Amino acid sequence: MWILRWPIVVLILVFVIAACLLPAGAVTANELAGPQFAQLSQGLADNASSANWLQAGLWYGAAFCLFVAAVRLIRRTQAFWAWLIGFGLYGARWGLARQAEGVGVPTSLDAALADYGLLMLSGLLLVGLLILIVDAADRSHWARRDA
């Protein structure tokens, strides 16, 4: 399963950096620096101004748990449970953002495809299914070595 393992690790690390740490860092910089941050990067400041500390904490927690899952994949130990906690934290952040916007869950396919956060959540779910497959292969490998 080494063919699946390393692409999954790279996907998780890219997700941690791009979808968790950058937005959380933008929220932190916006809260701490205020107007100075808004002058530096208008796009990040606009996105960060709509989020709060709770959402930033959920992003940081998801980044930590997903990073732990990537390390556990590299070490060939069970990574699914760390991924599951990270997925739950990222999903909770998406739900809080939807609630803050006053928008419910998308009911049509067009609305679902237009929701960037839902697409990221779906991609993370697909990565989790691949992690489950790799973990099952690792478990069977170690069971054969013990027997």
Side-chain angles (χ1 to χ4, degrees), residues 2 11 16 18-19 34 42 49-51 62 64 67 73 77 89 102 118 121 123 135 143 147:
W2 64 272
L11 278 173
V16 163
Q42 190 61 35
S49 64
S50 64
F64 176 75
F67 181 75
L73 272 173
T77 56
L89 290 171
L118 187 60
L121 206 55
D135 278 354

Short mmCIF file of all heavy atoms in Angstrom, two decimals, residues 2 11 16 18-19 34 42 49-51 62 64 67 73 77 89 102 118 121 123 135 143 147:
data_model
loop_
_atom_site.label_atom_id
_atom_site.label_comp_id
_atom_site.label_asym_id
_atom_site.label_seq_id
_atom_site.Cartn_x
_atom_site.Cartn_y
_atom_site.Cartn_z
N TRP A 2 2.15 1.14 -0.24
CA TRP A 2 3.00 2.32 -0.24
C TRP A 2 2.67 3.24 -1.40
O TRP A 2 2.95 4.43 -1.35
CB TRP A 2 4.47 1.93 -0.27
CG TRP A 2 4.88 1.20 -1.51
CD1 TRP A 2 4.82 -0.13 -1.74
CD2 TRP A 2 5.39 1.80 -2.69
NE1 TRP A 2 5.26 -0.41 -3.00
CE2 TRP A 2 5.62 0.76 -3.61
CE3 TRP A 2 5.68 3.10 -3.07
CZ2 TRP A 2 6.11 0.98 -4.88
CZ3 TRP A 2 6.18 3.32 -4.34
CH2 TRP A 2 6.39 2.27 -5.22
N LEU A 11 -1.27 14.89 0.21
CA LEU A 11 -2.59 15.55 0.19
C LEU A 11 -2.96 16.10 1.56
O LEU A 11 -3.46 17.22 1.67
CB LEU A 11 -3.67 14.57 -0.27
CG LEU A 11 -3.82 14.36 -1.76
CD1 LEU A 11 -4.82 13.24 -2.04
CD2 LEU A 11 -4.26 15.63 -2.43
N VAL A 16 -3.55 20.63 5.22
CA VAL A 16 -3.24 21.26 6.51
C VAL A 16 -2.74 22.68 6.30
O VAL A 16 -3.19 23.61 6.97
CB VAL A 16 -2.21 20.41 7.29
CG1 VAL A 16 -1.56 21.20 8.40
CG2 VAL A 16 -2.87 19.16 7.84
N ALA A 18 -2.88 24.67 3.35
CA ALA A 18 -3.72 25.57 2.55
C ALA A 18 -5.11 25.80 3.14
O ALA A 18 -5.63 26.90 3.07
CB ALA A 18 -3.85 25.01 1.13
N ALA A 19 -5.71 24.77 3.69
CA ALA A 19 -7.11 24.89 4.13
C ALA A 19 -7.26 25.09 5.62
O ALA A 19 -8.36 25.41 6.08
CB ALA A 19 -7.90 23.67 3.69
N GLY A 34 -5.17 43.86 13.47
CA GLY A 34 -6.27 44.77 13.13
C GLY A 34 -6.06 45.48 11.80
O GLY A 34 -5.86 44.84 10.78
N GLN A 42 -5.55 42.34 1.29
CA GLN A 42 -6.98 42.62 1.33
C GLN A 42 -7.82 41.35 1.22
O GLN A 42 -8.81 41.20 1.90
CB GLN A 42 -7.36 43.59 0.20
CG GLN A 42 -8.76 44.12 0.30
CD GLN A 42 -8.99 44.89 1.60
OE1 GLN A 42 -8.10 45.57 2.09
NE2 GLN A 42 -10.17 44.76 2.15
N SER A 49 -12.01 38.53 8.39
CA SER A 49 -12.88 39.40 9.18
C SER A 49 -14.23 38.74 9.47
O SER A 49 -14.90 39.09 10.43
CB SER A 49 -13.09 40.73 8.47
OG SER A 49 -13.77 40.52 7.25
N SER A 50 -14.62 37.77 8.64
CA SER A 50 -15.89 37.10 8.88
C SER A 50 -15.77 35.94 9.87
O SER A 50 -16.78 35.43 10.33
CB SER A 50 -16.48 36.59 7.55
OG SER A 50 -15.62 35.61 7.01
N ALA A 51 -14.56 35.52 10.19
CA ALA A 51 -14.35 34.41 11.13
C ALA A 51 -14.04 34.97 12.52
O ALA A 51 -13.74 36.14 12.69
CB ALA A 51 -13.21 33.53 10.64
N ALA A 62 -7.96 21.13 13.76
CA ALA A 62 -8.03 20.23 12.60
C ALA A 62 -6.65 20.08 11.98
O ALA A 62 -6.25 18.96 11.60
CB ALA A 62 -9.02 20.77 11.57
N PHE A 64 -3.74 20.30 13.50
CA PHE A 64 -2.93 19.46 14.38
C PHE A 64 -3.29 17.98 14.23
O PHE A 64 -2.42 17.13 14.06
CB PHE A 64 -3.10 19.90 15.84
CG PHE A 64 -2.38 19.02 16.80
CD1 PHE A 64 -1.01 19.09 16.93
CD2 PHE A 64 -3.08 18.10 17.58
CE1 PHE A 64 -0.34 18.26 17.82
CE2 PHE A 64 -2.42 17.27 18.46
CZ PHE A 64 -1.04 17.35 18.58
N PHE A 67 -2.25 16.64 10.86
CA PHE A 67 -0.80 16.47 10.82
C PHE A 67 -0.38 15.20 11.56
O PHE A 67 0.48 14.45 11.10
CB PHE A 67 -0.09 17.69 11.42
CG PHE A 67 1.39 17.58 11.39
CD1 PHE A 67 2.09 17.74 10.21
CD2 PHE A 67 2.11 17.30 12.55
CE1 PHE A 67 3.47 17.63 10.18
CE2 PHE A 67 3.47 17.19 12.54
CZ PHE A 67 4.16 17.35 11.35
N LEU A 73 0.58 7.89 9.35
CA LEU A 73 0.64 7.17 8.07
C LEU A 73 2.09 6.88 7.68
O LEU A 73 2.40 5.79 7.18
CB LEU A 73 -0.03 7.98 6.97
CG LEU A 73 -1.51 7.79 6.78
CD1 LEU A 73 -2.05 8.78 5.77
CD2 LEU A 73 -1.83 6.38 6.33
N THR A 77 1.35 3.32 11.41
CA THR A 77 0.48 3.01 12.53
C THR A 77 -0.92 3.49 12.17
O THR A 77 -1.13 4.08 11.12
CB THR A 77 0.99 3.69 13.82
OG1 THR A 77 1.09 5.09 13.58
CG2 THR A 77 2.34 3.14 14.24
N LEU A 89 -13.42 18.30 13.48
CA LEU A 89 -13.12 19.70 13.78
C LEU A 89 -13.30 20.58 12.54
O LEU A 89 -13.87 21.68 12.62
CB LEU A 89 -11.71 19.84 14.34
CG LEU A 89 -11.49 19.27 15.73
CD1 LEU A 89 -10.00 19.25 16.07
CD2 LEU A 89 -12.27 20.05 16.76
N GLY A 102 -25.95 32.54 8.07
CA GLY A 102 -27.41 32.42 8.01
C GLY A 102 -27.89 31.55 6.87
O GLY A 102 -29.02 31.65 6.44
N LEU A 118 -17.89 22.96 1.34
CA LEU A 118 -18.45 21.62 1.23
C LEU A 118 -17.62 20.74 0.30
O LEU A 118 -17.45 19.55 0.55
CB LEU A 118 -19.91 21.69 0.74
CG LEU A 118 -20.67 20.38 0.73
CD1 LEU A 118 -20.74 19.78 2.13
CD2 LEU A 118 -22.08 20.60 0.19
N LEU A 121 -14.65 19.68 2.29
CA LEU A 121 -15.06 18.66 3.24
C LEU A 121 -15.26 17.32 2.55
O LEU A 121 -14.86 16.27 3.09
CB LEU A 121 -16.35 19.11 3.93
CG LEU A 121 -16.67 18.57 5.30
CD1 LEU A 121 -15.55 18.85 6.27
CD2 LEU A 121 -17.95 19.18 5.80
N GLY A 123 -13.71 16.34 -0.22
CA GLY A 123 -12.37 15.86 -0.56
C GLY A 123 -11.67 15.25 0.64
O GLY A 123 -11.00 14.22 0.54
N ASP A 135 -4.95 1.73 6.34
CA ASP A 135 -4.89 1.19 7.70
C ASP A 135 -5.28 -0.28 7.73
O ASP A 135 -4.68 -1.07 8.47
CB ASP A 135 -5.80 1.99 8.64
CG ASP A 135 -5.14 3.27 9.13
OD1 ASP A 135 -3.96 3.48 8.84
OD2 ASP A 135 -5.84 4.04 9.82
N ALA A 143 -0.69 -8.40 11.25
CA ALA A 143 -1.29 -9.64 11.76
C ALA A 143 -0.59 -10.86 11.18
O ALA A 143 -0.37 -11.86 11.87
CB ALA A 143 -2.78 -9.68 11.43
N ALA A 147 1.75 -13.81 13.31
CA ALA A 147 1.31 -15.21 13.29
C ALA A 147 2.42 -16.17 12.98
O ALA A 147 3.49 -15.98 12.72
CB ALA A 147 0.21 -15.40 12.28
#
